[in-house]
Amino acid sequence: MNWNAFKRLFHYLGRYKLRLILVMIAAVLSTLFTVLTPAVTGGITSELYDGVASGSFDWEIVWLLVTLIALYLVAQLFAILQSFSMTKLTACVMETLRGDIDRKMHHLKLDYYDSHTQGEILSTITNDVDTVNNALSQNLTQIVTQVVTAVGILVMMFTTSPILTAIAVAMVPVSLLASLGVMKTGTIHYARQQELLGQLNGYIEEVYQGQELVSVFNYTDRAKEEVDRINGELQRTAQSAEIASGKVTPITDLVNNLGYAVSALLGCLSVLRGEMRIGDVQAMLQYTKQFSQPFTSIAGMAGSFSAASAAAGRIFAL
């Protein structure tokens, strides 16, 4: 992972601090209101169970339902605000980045254009910038959201059942260690993919511009073979990168589901012993499932950020 490239990208984000702060505040508030919903849902379940057992109806359920609806509405409101603000922020950052690239192109020495094909340069300006754009717009706020989700859920779980919380927490390092090797492999393949994409675009641009020379010197067949060679290697590299990236989520899901099953078993035993209310177990199971999602999501973003890292490295190299 090219961390220096990410530092320079965050420098671009820093030019729009107010918008970035607004995005982060909206993401945090949306996540916090969402985290509270399983606790309210668990309270509703407990009240319903107690009402059925006693044969009476408690009007507190109505207030809990109203609270639940309000939490969902407010959470979605902040989620919409976060999405709208992030879209504008990313568009501004990409506009600034493309402008800087354009100004740089007018100040480069001529030997740079002699040593780099036009297609390779165009690939950096278009494909690499689009790769960075997709990573920022889709995943940047997701990281903040997932981190806040993990912390908020951890607090709610610990206040409900420390034992079940310990099981969920223990599954996190296991799932991360299980997927670490796959993530490293994916990073290498994504870097090679961006490099080959630039080579392919550069060669095609060169051949089409010199089509007369290609025809005069009967170079058509050799040009086709070279395109097929680069394209074939690009296809294999892209396939390997996607396969490596796709392995991360199933691996983490498998480990997390084992922890979920153990939590469900211990929670049911606690209810039978009268140590927990049935609604608390329901809330804990929801939290256990949700607690693993941030780590699974962040691990799943590894492929996107690996591609963005490679693309940003090529951009800043230019």
Side-chain angles (χ1 to χ4, degrees), residues 202-254:
Y203 191 77
I204 291 174
E205 178 75 19
E206 193 176 56
V207 170
Y208 274 106
Q209 280 201 343
Q211 189 62 44
E212 293 182 1
L213 288 175
V214 171
S215 300
V216 168
F217 289 95
N218 196 26
Y219 195 79
T220 303
D221 291 339
R222 292 176 63 183
K224 287 181 179 178
E225 290 175 0
E226 181 64 13
V227 169
D228 290 340
R229 183 191 69 79
I230 301 175
N231 195 28
E233 187 177 355
L234 175 61
Q235 182 267 332
R236 290 188 295 272
T237 304
Q239 181 175 316
S240 299
E242 291 300 326
I243 289 175
S245 178
K247 288 179 180 178
V248 174
T249 300
I251 291 173
T252 54
D253 280 346
L254 174 62

Side-chain angles (χ1 to χ4, degrees), residues 166-180 251-252 255-256 291 295:
I167 296 173
V169 172
M171 292 296 107
V172 174
V174 176
S175 62
L176 291 179
L177 288 174
S179 59
L180 188 60
I251 291 173
T252 54
V255 176
N256 294 328
F291 185 67
F295 303 97

